[in-house]
Every structure is written in C-alpha cells, then in structure tokens.
Amino acid sequence: MLLEENSLFWKVLPFLENKFTVAIVSSCVCLFLLICIWVLYVKRHYSPVRSKILIVGRSGEDEQPGSGKSTLYHVLRTGKAPKFQSVTSMVPNEGTFIPRGSKTLKEANFVDFPGNERLKTELEDQVLHAKVIIYVLDVSRLETEIRKEAISVYNIFKLLKKRNRKAIPILIFCNKIDLCESFPLDKVRQILGEEILKYQREVAPSGGDESVLATNIDSLLACSQYVVSFESGSAAQGVVEPVIHFLDRI
Ligand SMILES: Nc1nc2c(ncn2[C@@H]2O[C@H](COP(=O)(O)OP(=O)(O)OP(=O)(O)O)[C@@H](O)[C@H]2O)c(=O)[nH]1
Ligand SMILES: [Mg+2]
C-alpha cells in the first residue's frame, strides 16, 4: 500500500536524508536510553535504603538470651528456625528477599540489627532510614524487664519524632509465646504503654526534646511519625505468620 503524499513519513524523510540531523536524532535517542538505564540503576541500588525492614529489639544480658531478632530474620529468610542456638550478634544481618511463606509480598531489604549498646549510633541511622520497623519483644520476660523494654521502645519513638516523612509502621512482635501462659496483646499494649508514659514523665517532666509528647497510650502509639501494631508468635518454633500478615497489610 502506497503512503499518502502528505503522510508524516514524507514530511520526515528530507530530515533523515540530512546526515547531520540523523546524527543529532540518534545522539538524543542514545542519551535518552542512557538516562533511562541510569534511573533504573539508581532505583535498583539506592531505593532499598528506603525500603528497609528493620528488625530491632533488646540484646541478651546477664546470661539472658536476646529477644529473638536473628531467629526471626532467619525464619523469614529460610522458612526454618536455626538448628543451633544463635549467639549474640555484633554486626547486622542484612539481605534482600521475599519472606518465606508469603505469596503476595515483594522482595524487600531486611536488616536484623543487634541490640548491643555499642552499635547505638549506627542504630539511630538505621531507624531514621527504615520504611518499616519490627521491634522484637521477649514477652516471656516482659514483666521483669518492663522498664528496660519501655526505655528501648521510647528511644525509637524519640528518634522517629525527628522525621518529617509520612508515618512509619512499627510492629511490636511479642516473641517467645511458647514460654509463657497466654499473654493478651491488649495487656502488652497497656503495660508497655503505661511504663513508657511513666518513663517520659521522669525524664521529661516539662516536655522538650527528651519527650515524645504523648499524653496517653493512644497518642503514644499512633501519631504523625509512626503507627504501632502488636502481634505475637514464636520465632524459634517458626510461628511468624503474624509478621508476614502485618507486612502484607502495609
Ligand atoms: N523459646 C523460645 N526461644 C526463642 C524464640 N525466639 C528466639 N529464641 C531463642 O532466644 C535466643 C536468642 O535469640 P536470637 O535470635 O539470637 O536473639 P537476638 O535478638 O538476635 O539477640 P542479639 O543478637 O544479642 O541482639 C536463642 O537461643 C533463640 O533460640 C522463641 O520464640 N521461643
Ligand atoms: Mg542477633
């Protein structure tokens, strides 16, 4: 079929016969392609910083084991609890994967961050760049360790108050339920919330930088910088579906 006389092809043809125009057009196309490749490269390599799922919580001390961060990380990554008892971590575990058992989640960058005090400065940086935070709490020792847990959670809230980005989801994963009698999540929310508010009144009686500016449990656990949910399970026994469901929901 012959092209009509006034079709675009005949209009463009004279330009294509000019070598100079062809060179400019092909340079523009190459430049455009290079920019696309560069944008894709930057997205692939630098966006994980924003999509970090940060696993935090307290380390073991005085012969007591840690809350189960590395165990949870391992179960999410491999679908199985580690065969050997894990030792206290001194460096973060980091990996990009789809959590085992999830059919809907996309690949994300998980960071298991040790609770060791010596890594405090690095932790602050990680918290400020996380997209999601999973705080692993050893619920079997909650009542005896409530003050230490409250301080640890409070410090994370305080850091997040510095962020101006949209609210970050935080999951408080009540781990080790296999070691205790039933521990309703409402009760954990209540006693942890009350202890954090009590601590805030002690360290910042008149507000200021040290305060997270919360007056009750509801405003403490949901504000413009973060929203907290509670779930329970047992990482060592592979019961981590609540974590996967939480990640699915956000
Ligand atoms: N009974 C029971 N033990 C658990 C559970 N999850 C973890 N543990 C045990 O708790 C101990 C500490 O677990 P880790 O995962 O190493 O703790 P962590 O939070 O990474 O500790 P740090 O690396 O020191 O910050 C290990 O012996 C685990 O087997 C659980 O759900 N139930
Ligand atoms: Mg660890």
Side-chain angles (χ1 to χ4, degrees):
M1 194 178 75
L2 283 175
L3 286 168
E4 283 176 27
E5 225 171 82
N6 58 353
S7 81
L8 186 66
F9 177 78
W10 296 116
K11 285 183 189 152
V12 170
L13 191 62
F15 292 102
L16 293 178
E17 280 167 358
N18 181 333
K19 280 188 186 150
F20 183 67
T21 318
V22 172
I24 290 187
V25 171
S26 35
S27 310
C28 289
V29 171
C30 286
L31 190 66
F32 176 74
L33 286 175
L34 278 175
I35 290 172
C36 289
I37 291 168
W38 183 74
V39 168
L40 286 175
Y41 177 85
V42 169
K43 255 188 120 181
R44 172 100 180 84
H45 289 264
Y46 295 98
S47 63
V49 175
R50 291 219 184 84
S51 67
K52 259 185 192 168
I53 298 178
L54 182 63
I55 303 174
V56 292
R58 290 182 50 234
S59 246
E61 52 186 49
D62 306 332
E63 316 251 316
Q64 298 285 0
S67 60
K69 300 175 289 297
S70 301
T71 311
L72 173 66
Y73 173 88
H74 200 274
V75 175
L76 290 174
R77 182 161 201 165
T78 65
K80 291 186 200 117
K83 281 203 184 101
F84 305 102
Q85 289 216 329
S86 53
V87 287
T88 186
S89 321
M90 284 310 293
V91 285
N93 271 323
E94 187 163 351
T96 303
F97 55 86
I98 300 172
R100 283 296 180 104
S102 164
K103 293 189 181 81
T104 46
L105 286 172
K106 291 195 187 123
E107 206 174 55
N109 186 223
F110 287 79
V111 181
D112 153 32
F113 201 88
N116 196 290
E117 273 292 304
R118 273 185 266 164
L119 302 170
K120 203 171 152 217
T121 322
E122 208 187 313
L123 173 69
E124 292 182 5
D125 193 54
Q126 294 274 2
V127 168
L128 292 175
H129 289 98
K131 187 187 163 206
V132 179
I133 293 178
I134 300 175
Y135 183 92
V136 182
L137 180 136
D138 178 350
V139 78
S140 70
R141 292 196 294 132
L142 181 62
E143 278 164 318
T144 50
E145 302 279 297
I146 183 69
R147 175 45 65 118
K148 289 177 181 169
E149 290 296 354
I151 296 173
S152 173
V153 175
Y154 182 85
N155 286 336
I156 290 171
F157 288 172
K158 215 171 70 182
L159 281 173
L160 291 172
K161 286 277 181 184
K162 290 185 192 163
R163 301 199 343 169
N164 283 329
R165 291 207 229 123
K166 78 181 213 296
I168 179 174
I170 302 179
L171 172 68
I172 299 199
F173 180 57
C174 303
N175 192 29
K176 307 197 187 183
I177 48 163
D178 55 300
L179 293 182
C180 49
E181 299 285 306
S182 86
F183 214 132
L185 291 178
D186 280 356
K187 191 175 162 198
V188 178
R189 186 181 189 276
Q190 184 72 24
I191 59 175
L192 184 66
E194 275 170 5
E195 191 67 25
I196 295 175
L197 291 175
K198 200 166 135 198
Y199 178 67
Q200 179 186 241
R201 282 195 295 275
E202 287 167 25
V203 289
S206 47
D209 277 357
E210 280 305 303
S211 165
V212 294
L213 301 171
T215 48
N216 56 45
I217 295 179
D218 289 337
S219 68
L220 173 75
L221 299 177
C223 63
S224 55
Q225 286 94 354
Y226 57 81
V227 178
V228 183
S229 313
F230 288 80
E231 292 291 354
S232 60
S234 167
Q237 299 202 336
V239 184
V240 300
E241 294 82 12
V243 175
I244 293 174
H245 291 154
F246 161 79
L247 293 173
D248 256 333
R249 286 198 302 272
I250 53 173

